[in-house]
Structure formats: structure tokens, C-alpha cells
């Protein structure tokens, strides 16, 4: 149990940094480039924003909600005789997508979801499915490549 928790914490940390970087890229795609700053200053500014996205937005979701749900999924799937890895991946992504839709419904209202265009809805669900997918992949690889 301790080894599985260690795997999940490592996967959570790498997923936090990876997803923070991806969300930074998405949010800054329309940002203007300031040319009067040095390259090093721009890199440090980007790193600060990546770390802010990672540790302010992504880390609490992964460590407070994601890891406990992942432990629960693994506990439930111990009793299943089918291929657990595929089922685990589908459940991880589905639960996160359902959680995001519920969050949107509570914070933005159902009208926002109803009037969201299909490309925007698919894009948002893909982006939000990315985080649990990366978490699951890192966790899966750690279990398969045991030291």
C-alpha cells in the first residue's frame, strides 16, 4: 500500500507540472510578445506562470481529489478479473470529465454548457481529460517498470 501511494504521489507531482505547462501554453496562445525584455527575463516570467498554474490550480485538484479517487478505483478494481488497466484508464478519465461537467453546471449554470459550441465543448473535455490521462499513464508505467 505504501509503494502504491508513493507511485501515486510521484505521478501526481509530474502530472501537476506537465498539466500546468500545457494550461499555460493554452492560456498564453494569444499573448503579445514583449520585445523590450531579455530572453532570460521572458523565460523566468514564463516559468513563474507555469509554476503558478501548476501549484495553484492543478496541484490541489490532483492531490485532494484525484489521488484519493485513484486509490478508490484501484481498490474497487482489485476484485475485477478483466484487464484492469483499460478499465482503470476509462474510469479515471470519465470520473474527471463528469466532475468537470458538474463543476461547470454549478459555477457557470447549465445554460453555459447548453450554449457551448460543439468544438469548444470537445476541446475543453479533451484538455480536462488530458490531466487524468497523464496521471494514469505515469502511474501505470511506474507499476510496470518496477525497480
Amino acid at each position: 500500500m505504501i509503494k502504491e501511494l508513493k507511485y501515486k504521489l510521484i505521478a501526481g507531482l509530474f502530472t501537476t507540472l506537465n498539466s500546468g505547462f500545457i494550461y499555460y501554453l493554452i492560456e498564453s496562445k494569444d499573448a503579445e510578445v514583449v520585445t523590450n525584455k531579455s530572453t532570460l527575463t521572458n523565460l523566468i516570467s514564463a516559468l513563474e506562470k507555469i509554476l503558478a498554474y501548476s501549484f495553484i490550480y492543478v496541484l490541489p485538484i490532483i492531490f485532494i481529489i484525484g489521488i484519493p479517487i485513484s486509490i478508490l478505483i484501484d481498490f474497487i478494481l482489485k476484485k475485477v478479473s478483466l484487464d484492469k488497466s483499460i478499465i482503470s484508464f476509462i474510469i479515471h478519465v470519465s470520473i474527471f470529465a463528469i466532475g468537470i461537467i458538474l463543476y461547470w453546471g454549478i459555477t457557470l449554470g447549465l445554460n453555459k454548457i447548453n450554449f457551448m459550441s460543439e468544438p469548444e465543448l470537445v476541446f475543453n473535455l479533451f484538455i480536462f481529460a488530458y490531466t487524468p490521462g497523464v496521471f494514469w499513464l505515469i502511474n501505470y508505467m511506474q507499476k510496470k517498470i518496477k525497480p
Side-chain angles (χ1 to χ4, degrees):
M1 179 65 181
I2 298 297
K3 188 187 293 187
E4 287 185 28
L5 182 61
K6 181 179 89 171
Y7 288 160
K8 294 206 183 292
L9 292 174
I10 291 170
L13 182 63
F14 281 118
T15 303
T16 297
L17 295 172
N18 183 280
S19 294
F21 176 72
I22 295 297
Y23 298 151
Y24 165 75
L25 288 178
I26 291 168
E27 291 296 321
S28 65
K29 70 179 178 185
D30 295 328
E32 294 182 21
V33 177
V34 179
T35 57
N36 61 355
K37 291 185 178 180
S38 70
T39 304
L40 183 61
T41 306
N42 287 336
L43 287 173
I44 290 173
S45 174
L47 183 61
E48 289 172 348
K49 291 176 185 174
I50 290 168
L51 291 175
Y53 275 109
S54 298
F55 292 109
I56 294 173
Y57 298 115
V58 182
L59 185 113
I61 293 171
I62 290 175
F63 280 81
I64 295 172
I65 300 169
I67 290 176
I69 288 176
S70 182
I71 291 170
L72 180 65
I73 290 169
D74 288 349
F75 177 74
I76 292 171
L77 288 179
K78 283 183 181 179
K79 300 174 183 177
V80 176
S81 62
L82 300 172
D83 185 13
K84 295 177 184 123
S85 59
I86 303 287
I87 295 170
S88 176
F89 176 77
I90 292 169
I91 292 173
H92 275 84
V93 172
S94 299
I95 287 177
F96 195 79
I98 290 168
I100 291 298
I101 290 171
L102 289 174
Y103 173 75
W104 283 345
I106 292 169
T107 59
L108 303 174
L110 294 176
N111 289 335
K112 172 70 175 170
I113 298 170
N114 287 338
F115 294 115
M116 193 179 288
S117 68
E118 287 180 17
E120 182 183 4
L121 180 64
V122 170
F123 175 75
N124 286 327
L125 287 176
F126 171 76
I127 291 302
F128 289 123
Y130 176 82
T131 300
V134 169
F135 176 84
W136 177 87
L137 182 64
I138 294 170
N139 190 42
Y140 178 77
M141 293 307 294
Q142 288 182 40
K143 288 179 183 178
K144 289 297 179 186
I145 305 173
K146 293 181 183 180

